[in-house]
Amino acid sequence: MSRNDRNGHRRRILRQRVKALGLPCAICGRPIDYSLPPLHPWSYELDEIVPVSLGGSELDPNNVQPAHRICNERKGNRIGFTCEAGGRPQRKTPKPNASQDWTA
Ligand SMILES: [Zn+2]
């Protein structure tokens, strides 16, 4: 029994509605497997475009979008965050080529 359920119910309906659209992840652009279990990193989550902590509404259909759980986690509190469609952000620092001239 929780008193918070007045929002929980509406939230659930919204979640279902967005899920029914079958859209790809709004953050990385890749398709979402809507059949994955809820705790799976690539499972579906309802993401707020403007985070609740920044004044967005979690119950406004115009403020929610489908996202992978993992993308949503990466996004955190940012607005308009997107992942590279290719996958994880790569931060390779090119090794300075220690090219030495051994001409002797
Ligand atoms: Zn994603």
Side-chain angles (χ1 to χ4, degrees), residues 11-26:
R11 174 81 174 166
R12 218 154 25 215
I13 290 177
L14 193 58
R15 218 182 123 85
Q16 292 295 326
R17 230 197 276 168
V18 174
K19 181 180 176 179
L21 298 174
L23 293 169
C25 172

Side-chain angles (χ1 to χ4, degrees), residues 18 37 49-50 53 57 60 65 67 73 78 85 87 91 100:
V18 174
I49 296 167
V50 178
S53 57
S57 167
D60 180 355
Q65 58 189 5
E73 243 163 55
R78 285 164 285 191
R91 216 165 283 166
Q100 283 165 316

